[in-house]
């Protein structure tokens, strides 16, 4: 049975971002009473110069407000580094006959460092602006609006600023009864941008940020609410609203069709497992079929191989891969990508109970492959194996991608900023790495070491899902080698997002807790796929 929640509804929309022509010197947005802040960019000083470099709109703002921004920057010791913020709160005279130059202008003038003015730096600048503008109605900014840019570069810069702003504007849903939660960020107006290309680019950025918000909302939801039935219901509701095809399999269908991995992992829980598929088909023909399989463990105790208390605390987010897959297909539909996209969500709760699967058990996966169990806390690869084998045999994908918070080894090897990417297809690796760089959700290619194949061999089954010899190491690699046995001859990639899926603090566009990592990367991949 799905659980109920008093939290905010899943599927929230980020603040609006609009494109507006004109300049700081001429726009009426600053005098119509609807704008609470003006934000202008500053860059680091050039070599041999001590002064900050004013960029598009900065000099006009200084003139219109009647302030010396160079002097302010020097006094505040600003460097122009990406994400640096200085808010100048301008007083409103009360009962004075003195007319101040800013009397009719927004009361906040914000200096925002943009660093190099490219890519990640613009996202960081947008993110810093979002965090400094919570509770305001509207912010007008010229961030990224350099006059010398061509239309393509200007559109890209507008998207990067918008994405950074929207990602950092996220506030986690809460069930708290108090009003102490942070307020929403303001509507953002990108001033000095004209034309349909910038408008379209900002819309794409809004779609990508909306996908990330969905992943964060789902991953943040506590497991007292989020069991497999609840998550399946959310997927069905959102997919139906978007006009997509959705199918939900319960335990009866899973047993009848032979999904031995999903059933075994979910057997110890009172909350029964599900398998959800959501499909988007474009109106035009000729595209590829991309299937995204996402690990959906709604809570992971480790099962009989139980985790320590500290290891369990973040395990409500162990379904992030499934959330990424769902957000990807919904984002693809919203963006109208030219390719067919199917999300496959194997959902289970790995709990301890009288029916829990055990170390030493042999499971029969979908398709008949037998697997020897050595550690019930390596459950993610089992539900993925079932879903991958089924997707390979029944969905006929051109590209098969799985995404999962799969191994601590990936975090140890790559830290918190890069996903581990595995694939034997060089073209697919190149495309995914390019999408990672463009989206700011970074990945690093890892090797499928053939010498480690012995780690998944078993004497009592076709495969063993974790190594016998702990000295082999390479836990993320051996997990990928295990999954490779279930994808047939498909073009396949495995993304282990265990590191970047969670953050211990806000940093730039990344938010504390569930980060939503993966959705923007895959949407960019789909957008660029030819």
């Amino acid at each position: 049975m799905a659980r109920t929640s008093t939290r905010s509804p899943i599927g929230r929309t980020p603040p609006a971002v609009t494109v507006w022509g004109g300049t700081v010197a001429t726009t009426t947005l600053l005098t119509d009473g609807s704008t609470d802040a003006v934000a202008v960019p500053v860059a680091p000083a050039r070599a041999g110069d001590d002064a900050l470099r004013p960029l598009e709109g900065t000099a006009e703002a200084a003139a219109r407000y009647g302030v010396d921004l160079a002097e302010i920057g020097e006094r505040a010791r600003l460097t122009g580094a990406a994400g640096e913020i200085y808010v100048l709160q301008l007083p409103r005279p009360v009962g004075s006959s003195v007319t101040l130059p800013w009397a009719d202008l927004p009361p906040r003038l914000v200096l925002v460092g943009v660093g190099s003015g490219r890519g990640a730096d613009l996202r960081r600048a947008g993110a810093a602006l979002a965090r400094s503008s919570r509770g305001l109605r509207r912010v007008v900014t010229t961030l990224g609006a350099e006059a010398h840019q061509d239309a393509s570069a200007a559109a890209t810069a507008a998207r990067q600023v918008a994405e950074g702003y929207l990602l950092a504007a996220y506030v986690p849903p809460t069930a708290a009864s108090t009003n102490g939660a942070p307020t929403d960020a303001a509507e953002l107006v990108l001033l000095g941008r004209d034309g349909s290309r910038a408008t379209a680019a900002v819309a794409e950025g809004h779609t990508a940020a909306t996908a990330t918000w969905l992943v964060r909302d789902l991953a943040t939801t506590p497991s007292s609410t989020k069991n497999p039935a609840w998550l399946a219901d959310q997927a069905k509701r959102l997919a139906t609203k978007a006009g997509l095809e959705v199918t939900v399999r319960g335990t009866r269908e899973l047993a009848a069709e032979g999904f031995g991995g999903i059933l075994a992992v979910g057997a110890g829980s009172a909350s029964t497992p599900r398998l959800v598929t959501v499909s988007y088909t474009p109106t035009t023909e000729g595209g590829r079929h991309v299937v995204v399989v996402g690990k959906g463990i709604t809570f992971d105790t480790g099962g009989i191989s139980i985790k320590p208390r500290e290891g369990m605390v973040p395990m409500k987010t162990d379904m992030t891969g499934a959330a990424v897959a769902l957000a990807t297909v919904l984002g693809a539909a919203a963006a109208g990508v030219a390719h067919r996209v199917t999300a496959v969500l194997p959902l289970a709760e790995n709990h301890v109970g009288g029916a829990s699967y055990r170390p030493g058990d042999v499971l029969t996966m979908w398709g008949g492959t037998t697997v020897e169990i050595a550690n019930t806390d390596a459950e993610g690869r089992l539900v993925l194996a079932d879903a991958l084998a089924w997707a390979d045999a029944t969905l006929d994908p051109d590209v098969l991608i799985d995404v999962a918070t799969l191994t601590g080894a990936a975090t140890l090897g790559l830290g918190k900023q890069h996903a581990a990417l595995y694939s034997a297809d060089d073209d697919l690796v190149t495309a995914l790495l390019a999408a990672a760089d463009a989206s700011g959700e970074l990945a690093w290619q890892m090797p499928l070491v053939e010498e480690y194949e012995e780690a998944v061999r078993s004497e009592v089954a076709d495969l063993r899902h974790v190594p016998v010899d702990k000295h082999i190491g390479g836990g993320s690699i051996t997990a990928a080698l295990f999954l490779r046995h279930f994808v047939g001859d498909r073009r396949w990639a495995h993304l282990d997002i265990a590191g970047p899926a969670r953050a211990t603090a806000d940093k730039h566009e990344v938010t504390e807790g569930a980060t939503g990592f993966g959705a923007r990367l895959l949407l960019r991949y789909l957008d660029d796929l030819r």
Side-chain angles (χ1 to χ4, degrees):
M1 182 176 69
R3 298 165 181 163
T4 59
S5 173
T6 59
R7 294 159 62 89
S8 303
I10 300 297
R12 298 178 295 155
T13 302
V17 179
T18 55
V19 173
W20 201 273
T23 67
V24 171
T26 62
T27 183
T28 59
L29 289 174
L30 306 191
T31 55
D32 66 5
S34 65
T35 300
D36 291 331
V38 179
V40 292
V42 292
R46 291 188 175 91
D49 191 356
D50 294 332
L52 291 174
R53 283 190 293 130
L55 299 177
E56 186 71 19
T58 307
E60 291 89 342
R64 196 160 181 181
Y65 276 88
V67 297
D68 185 345
L69 292 185
E71 187 273 333
I72 292 171
E74 182 179 357
R75 177 158 42 88
R77 297 183 179 179
L78 301 181
T79 66
E84 185 179 58
I85 282 279
Y86 183 80
V87 179
L88 183 62
Q89 186 76 38
L90 298 161
R92 286 285 188 256
V94 178
S96 172
S97 59
V98 178
T99 301
L100 298 175
W102 59 79
D104 296 324
L105 298 175
R108 293 174 183 84
L109 182 58
V110 186
L111 302 183
V112 186
V114 296
S116 68
R118 297 187 298 269
D121 282 356
L122 286 180
R123 279 192 293 270
R124 291 179 177 186
L129 180 58
R131 291 198 172 95
S132 70
S133 61
R134 295 195 186 279
L136 305 184
R137 294 170 300 162
R138 176 186 287 168
V139 174
V140 173
T141 186
T142 57
L143 290 178
E146 291 307 285
H148 63 270
Q149 292 177 338
D150 60 28
S152 176
T156 298
R159 174 173 179 166
Q160 290 162 341
V161 172
E163 276 192 3
Y165 185 89
L166 295 173
L167 292 170
Y170 176 82
V171 177
T174 178
S177 57
T178 62
N179 294 321
T183 54
D184 293 338
E187 173 195 355
L188 182 66
V189 176
L190 299 178
L191 188 64
R193 263 56 67 113
D194 290 310
S196 59
R197 293 185 73 167
T199 300
V202 168
E204 291 169 357
H206 199 277
T207 297
T210 300
T212 300
W213 275 44
L214 175 59
V215 178
R216 290 173 177 175
D217 275 359
L218 289 171
T220 300
T221 300
S223 297
S224 52
T225 295
K226 179 180 57 190
N227 61 10
W230 180 90
L231 189 48
D233 285 349
Q234 299 304 311
K236 184 175 182 179
R237 176 180 63 83
L238 293 168
T240 301
K241 182 179 179 181
L244 306 185
E245 180 182 348
V246 58
T247 302
V248 179
R249 288 173 169 82
T251 51
R252 182 179 301 178
E253 295 88 352
L254 293 171
E257 297 180 42
F259 288 90
I262 298 172
L263 288 168
V265 171
S269 174
S271 301
T272 55
R274 299 287 190 275
L275 179 67
V276 181
T277 56
V278 179
S279 298
Y280 157 71
T281 302
T283 55
T284 57
E285 297 182 354
R288 310 288 183 87
H289 183 199
V290 178
V291 173
V292 182
V293 178
K295 171 187 169 184
I297 303 300
T298 58
F299 191 78
D300 183 17
T301 67
I304 287 178
S305 307
I306 197 163
K307 294 178 182 290
R309 179 189 64 81
E310 295 82 359
M312 277 194 218
V313 173
M315 285 300 105
K316 67 179 181 181
T317 66
D318 209 22
M319 37 54 66
T320 296
V324 169
L326 176 61
T328 298
V329 70
L330 292 171
V337 301
H339 308 285
R340 183 182 170 199
V341 182
T342 301
V344 182
L345 322 179
L347 309 176
E349 186 174 73
N350 188 24
H351 221 304
V352 180
S356 293
Y357 76 124
R358 299 157 292 248
D361 284 357
V362 173
L363 308 180
T364 302
M365 313 299 287
W366 193 97
T369 299
T370 55
V371 174
E372 178 190 3
I373 302 304
N375 179 358
T376 64
D377 194 23
E379 82 298 326
R381 66 199 72 182
L382 297 175
V383 300
L384 287 175
D386 259 357
L388 287 168
W390 176 80
D392 168 48
T394 66
L395 298 181
D396 192 25
D398 296 302
V399 179
L400 182 56
I401 300 172
D402 75 80
V403 55
T405 50
L406 200 62
T407 67
T411 307
L412 289 173
L414 295 177
K416 295 285 190 176
Q417 297 187 26
H418 289 75
L421 169 61
Y422 294 90
S423 179
D425 188 302
D426 291 341
D427 290 340
L428 182 54
V429 168
T430 298
L432 286 169
L433 290 178
D437 288 343
S439 66
E441 294 190 327
L442 303 177
W444 193 269
Q445 184 183 8
M446 297 288 285
L448 289 162
V449 182
E450 295 300 334
E451 287 81 357
Y452 293 175
E453 178 65 28
E454 65 181 84
V456 296
R457 294 175 186 161
S458 170
E459 295 181 357
V460 298
D462 296 319
L463 296 169
R464 180 183 172 106
H465 84 313
V466 295
V468 176
D469 184 358
K470 294 182 179 180
H471 296 292
I472 289 178
S476 180
I477 298 172
T478 56
L481 290 171
F482 174 80
L483 294 176
R484 187 175 63 172
H485 286 272
F486 297 90
V487 300
D489 296 323
R490 302 290 173 184
R491 298 185 65 202
W492 162 73
H494 164 57
L495 278 168
D496 190 337
I497 62 170
R502 308 174 183 105
T504 56
D506 291 343
K507 186 176 182 181
H508 306 308
E509 67 266 35
V510 174
T511 53
E512 181 181 357
T515 67
F517 183 99
R520 291 189 296 123
L521 188 164
L522 292 178
L523 286 173
R524 182 58 68 98
Y525 165 73
L526 290 169
D527 188 51
D528 294 341
L529 180 62
R530 298 292 182 263

